[in-house]
Amino acid sequence: MIALGCDQAGYELKQEIIKYLEEKGLEYKDYGSYSADPVDYPIYGRIVAKAVAGGECDKGILICGTGIGISIAANKVKGIRAAVCSDCFSAEATRLHNDANIVAVGARVVGPGLAVKIIDTFLNTEFSGAERHARRVSMMEEE
């Protein structure tokens, strides 16, 4: 299950991502926002992060204007490794090396075609499990 969340800036792009997920037959849960009306992005970053950290969802997708603010909010939740990605190389690397469990994209930074490719790359890349990467991910989880 994939958790989705956005603010008003990401609402339209989220609709494109939902189309992609449905075409691929991927299960998702939409945590809002549900319109282009102004909202506070930290609310949605935290809701999605809690769903992923709590095991309700396996991975998350967050969208705001830049992807930055909503990812910062998500990263406040223990166990979350949210990465802002504006290209497919970063989406692949953050899964391979960081075992990121949430990808954030900026609706004002990337267009819908690229956003879908970034998300496809993120969802279809597994963590490498290499010792050095596992060690570093473990270090990030330390308090």
Side-chain angles (χ1 to χ4, degrees), residues 29-30 33 37 40 50 59-60 67 82 92 100 110-111 121 129 136-137 139 142:
K29 184 166 183 183
D30 185 352
S33 89
D37 295 335
D40 296 316
K50 285 183 177 182
K59 291 183 181 141
E92 179 182 38
V110 299
T121 301
R136 292 167 185 159
V137 169
M139 291 170 76
E142 295 174 4

Side-chain angles (χ1 to χ4, degrees), residues 3-6 10 13 17 41 44-45 48 59-75 80-88 90-91 94-95 100-110 114-115 118-119 122-123:
L4 292 174
C6 70
L13 181 54
I17 292 166
Y41 60 81
Y44 301 96
V48 165
K59 291 183 181 141
I61 299 168
L62 292 170
I63 312 135
C64 68
T66 63
I68 298 168
I70 205 163
S71 70
I72 291 171
N75 278 319
I80 293 304
R81 292 174 305 283
V84 180
C85 295
S86 298
D87 60 82
C88 294
S90 297
T94 200
R95 287 290 305 132
N101 46 18
I102 295 178
V103 64
V105 294
R108 295 178 180 146
V109 178
V110 299
L114 179 55
I118 290 166
I119 289 162
F122 180 84
L123 294 177

Side-chain angles (χ1 to χ4, degrees), residues 8-22:
Q8 73 279 356
Y11 177 74
E12 293 300 324
L13 181 54
K14 184 177 73 171
Q15 303 316 301
E16 295 298 318
I17 292 166
I18 286 172
K19 286 181 199 172
Y20 157 79
L21 295 172
E22 289 176 348

